Amino acid sequence: MHRGYPQGWPRWRLLPDRIPVMSLLIASDADAGRRLHPGWVALGASTVIFHLGLIFYGLTPALISRPLHMALALPWVLIFMATTPWQRISGWLLTGLGIAACGYIALNERALANQYGFIDTQLQMVIGVFLIFLALEAARRAIGWPLPLVALTALAYGALGQYLPGVFGHPGMPMASYVGTLTIAESGLWGSLTGVSVGVVAIFVIFGAVLNAGEAGRGFMNLASAFAGRLTGGAAKVSVISSALMGSISGSASANVASTGAITIPSMVRLGYPRALAGSVEAVASSGGQIMPPLMGAGAFVMVELTGTPYTQIMAAALLPAILYFVTVWVGINAYATRHDLRPMAESDRPSTKEVLITSLFFAVPFVLLLERIFLGGYTPQYAASIAIFAGMALLFFDVTLSFSLRGFFERMAEAAVTAGRQVAVIGAIIICASLVIGVLSLTGLGVKITSGILSLSNDMLWPALLLTALACLILGMEVPTTAAYVICVSVAGPALTALGLEPLLAHLFVFWFALLSTITPPVCGGVFIAAGMVGENWLKVALKAMALGIGLYIIPLAMISNPDIIRLDSNPGGALLDALKIAVGLTGISFGVIARKAWWLRLALIVAGALVIFLI
């Protein structure tokens, strides 16, 4: 059993499109043995060494580092995640051929770079087509069909779009150039998005895996319990704080639900909270992990690449909206306290001050190093994270009592290696598949045509364009992981929004937030399904309460448009804090109006007043 979970707690299988960044689910003893098999530990260690090494090796050509990144990911998504004999057999075959194909690209990097994306041998064509197929299949096995189907549709358009009549057709291109640009040049599979996965996302995933192999998770829970456990709705507020802290390194709703929820949900049920409310609190609080810096579910690093904005500026821009989200959830819990007896945690369930201080060191030391190296040292995020990783590894020598253990260190490192290897692979599979879509959009000019369509449908007005973009994000996000949905939507809608006067970073944050809606919005609401399964309640009841509690997720992106100074914390801190305060007041009124047990006219007045404060004052 993993640490920190009740004996006999069931092992929940996550929805395929919401794979967590940390492998924190309960597993049977046999499954745990398979996870920590020496072969997988060695492969995970190779993944960690490779990605950390890229920071210190010096400049590595993209056509070497990115194919090797894919090669390291293949065994995890094709073999480790296999659930049937056929998947395992085919997984071994595809992995062997895939490693050979990726190796061909890496070994022939110089020659391929001089071909400028044009295939000139039959072998290269076979390898190129196979790599495209492999990227689709890896993503399918990692997260299910939706994203590969989007990519397959884009690929079909690139190959056959010249036969479409009207404005959405394209002139066509030779197949040797089409396949070659996607597979043997620094675009398509090996484009800049894959570079983000290799150089930055993987490092922060490793950082999260190392922290959570130790006692950082317990430190988050203890700090939250000490701070909020004695308040009204204390168990629910512990879930909010611990999920915010955990989400800052996991960036995954599913990981948060599975980890913090395994402790907070039974605690809430034991205190008499309605089961639907207990599940919704955890689902909503956990969803905030993808908007909370520094990781933001890999979105922050993709945003750096797509906008050219420094990482520190993106962290500053995303911070206040993320805090407002959790403040709204906190207010919603207080509003539910007018309907239910939401008791505080029992004193016996709250940790001692000494335990809080000791366990907090396990995340405080790496976090302080990370932030110090970024903001004071002036180093890149990936270098700062690598220093924090080494500090986290040093802390793995100690347990919660600060007892030194060499055996414990190797056990925790093995767990971290397997967790990191698997999650780097899953995120890599998602980003590589999404890169195919971006490659086709660039090659065919389809993105420009969709952008023109949005401008035309909105009659060149910003708010109708925003609503069209939000609808597209919600629909795509229901079936595609948040980061991939964000990348695809912003590639086609972002230029339209900026053409209508929205600054690029604000447009990207708007799209990213709306791509996240599907975590709590039916019919596909990954965080809700997991929480409902854990609490044993009807998922729709949990979803309805989650939408009320998480109303900030729907309003804050629009509030950012009306109050753009909120994302300028680094350049205009006074204006940013003033806008944040105004939005917080409005959200408080709206949340109470939607949830609290008050007279209908008072609730309506609170909702209207809150909206006026946010959007008109």
Side-chain angles (χ1 to χ4, degrees):
M1 286 289 181
H2 289 265
R3 297 180 300 279
Y5 294 96
Q7 182 71 25
W9 192 258
R11 178 176 183 258
W12 300 102
R13 180 178 177 84
L14 298 186
L15 294 182
D17 64 337
R18 293 293 183 268
I19 300 295
V21 173
M22 298 171 297
S23 181
L24 293 171
L25 298 182
I26 292 301
S28 66
D29 292 338
D31 187 56
R34 182 179 73 87
R35 286 183 67 253
L36 297 180
H37 185 279
W40 292 116
V41 173
L43 183 60
S46 300
T47 298
V48 171
I49 292 169
F50 171 74
H51 289 93
L52 282 175
L54 288 176
I55 298 172
F56 301 100
Y57 297 151
L59 188 62
T60 303
L63 287 183
I64 294 178
S65 61
R66 296 170 193 180
L68 292 180
H69 174 68
M70 182 176 180
L72 284 168
L74 293 175
W76 296 100
V77 293
L78 298 177
I79 302 172
F80 184 87
M81 296 176 66
T83 57
T84 66
W86 163 248
Q87 285 184 353
R88 280 188 286 274
I89 294 170
S90 60
W92 277 102
L93 178 61
L94 290 174
T95 296
L97 294 174
I99 290 173
C102 292
Y104 176 87
I105 302 294
L107 290 172
N108 294 280
E109 174 265 335
R110 289 191 178 181
L112 294 177
N114 292 329
Q115 292 181 210
Y116 302 102
F118 193 89
I119 286 175
D120 59 10
T121 70
Q122 190 171 4
L123 175 63
Q124 289 180 359
M125 177 61 77
V126 171
I127 289 174
V129 171
F130 175 71
L131 283 170
I132 292 172
F133 162 78
L134 193 62
L136 297 172
E137 177 64 6
R140 185 191 72 82
R141 294 202 187 190
I143 57 170
W145 273 107
L147 179 58
L149 284 177
V150 171
L152 196 59
T153 302
L155 289 165
Y157 173 79
L160 305 173
Q162 64 267 34
Y163 301 112
L164 289 178
V167 68
F168 281 98
H170 65 75
M173 66 198 83
M175 193 57 63
S177 178
Y178 179 52
V179 175
T181 303
L182 294 176
T183 59
I184 67 169
E186 289 185 33
S187 56
L189 292 178
W190 321 127
S192 57
L193 279 182
T194 304
V196 172
S197 178
V198 176
V200 187
V201 175
I203 300 300
F204 276 84
V205 171
I206 294 167
F207 178 51
V210 169
L211 286 191
N212 285 283
E215 303 293 345
R218 183 180 295 188
F220 289 142
M221 291 299 304
N222 285 343
L223 183 63
S225 299
F227 182 75
R230 61 175 58 87
L231 303 176
T232 299
K237 290 171 180 175
V238 167
S239 172
V240 173
I241 297 174
S242 59
S243 293
L245 293 170
M246 189 75 78
S248 67
I249 57 170
S250 76
S252 166
S254 297
N256 281 0
V257 174
S259 54
T260 61
I263 299 171
T264 60
I265 287 177
S267 175
M268 285 185 273
V269 171
R270 190 168 60 249
L271 288 169
Y273 291 31
R275 289 181 175 271
L277 178 59
S280 66
V281 166
E282 185 56 48
V284 171
S286 294
S287 295
Q290 292 188 79
I291 54 176
M292 175 60 77
L295 187 57
M296 294 171 61
F301 312 115
V302 176
M303 230 173 274
V304 170
E305 177 62 35
L306 295 180
T307 65
T309 305
Y311 173 71
T312 51
Q313 187 178 334
I314 287 176
M315 282 181 64
L319 183 60
L320 288 179
I323 292 173
L324 280 174
Y325 173 80
F326 286 103
V327 167
T328 307
V329 180
W330 186 289
V331 169
I333 292 168
N334 286 335
Y336 270 118
T338 66
R339 294 177 172 271
H340 311 288
D341 179 20
L342 304 184
R343 287 173 284 170
M345 293 178 67
E347 187 173 353
S348 59
D349 290 337
R350 299 199 296 268
S352 65
T353 302
K354 179 181 178 181
E355 185 179 351
V356 173
L357 291 175
I358 291 175
T359 54
S360 294
L361 290 174
F362 287 91
F363 68 82
V365 171
F367 257 91
V368 168
L369 272 174
L370 172 70
L371 297 176
E372 188 278 331
R373 291 289 81 191
I374 291 176
F375 290 101
L376 298 181
Y379 292 97
T380 62
Q382 54 266 46
Y383 180 81
S386 67
I387 300 301
I389 288 169
F390 293 133
M393 288 179 178
L395 290 171
L396 295 182
F397 281 106
F398 303 93
D399 62 16
V400 72
T401 65
L402 295 183
S403 299
F404 181 90
S405 172
L406 191 61
R407 179 180 178 182
F409 169 78
F410 285 114
E411 288 177 351
R412 296 180 191 110
M413 276 301 301
E415 181 181 341
V418 172
T419 299
R422 177 175 180 266
Q423 297 310 328
V424 166
V426 170
I427 294 176
I430 293 168
I431 290 181
I432 288 171
C433 188
S435 294
L436 283 175
V437 179
I438 305 306
V440 172
L441 291 176
S442 176
L443 279 172
T444 61
L446 179 61
V448 175
K449 295 169 184 175
I450 296 177
T451 296
S452 300
I454 292 173
L455 291 172
S456 177
L457 285 173
S458 64
N459 200 23
D460 287 338
M461 294 187 292
L462 178 60
W463 282 94
L466 289 170
L467 294 177
L468 286 172
T469 302
L471 181 62
C473 290
L474 176 59
I475 293 171
L476 187 61
M478 284 183 179
E479 294 293 346
V480 174
T482 302
T483 302
Y486 152 67
V487 168
I488 295 169
C489 280
V490 86
S491 297
V492 295
L497 298 181
T498 54
L500 292 172
L502 213 58
E503 60 182 281
L505 182 55
L506 187 54
H508 280 251
L509 286 170
F510 176 86
V511 172
F512 186 75
W513 272 67
F514 271 105
L516 179 62
L517 286 184
S518 63
T519 58
I520 62 171
T521 306
V524 179
C525 37
V528 165
F529 278 123
I530 299 166
M534 295 176 77
V535 79
E537 181 57 276
N538 179 279
W539 72 270
L540 189 55
K541 292 181 180 179
V542 176
L544 292 174
K545 280 187 163 52
M547 291 171 70
L549 262 181
I551 196 166
L553 196 58
Y554 303 86
I555 296 174
I556 292 172
L558 299 171
M560 287 191 286
I561 304 298
S562 292
N563 305 272
D565 279 344
I566 194 173
I567 71 166
R568 300 183 182 124
L569 184 61
D570 61 331
S571 60
N572 183 14
L577 292 172
L578 186 62
D579 275 359
L581 180 61
K582 185 175 75 167
I583 295 170
V585 171
L587 286 171
T588 298
I590 292 172
S591 184
F592 259 89
V594 169
I595 297 172
R597 178 174 284 174
K598 302 291 182 182
W600 69 267
W601 59 268
L602 178 58
R603 295 173 62 188
L604 179 61
L606 285 170
I607 293 171
V608 172
L612 289 175
V613 168
I614 293 173
F615 295 106
L616 294 181
I617 295 179

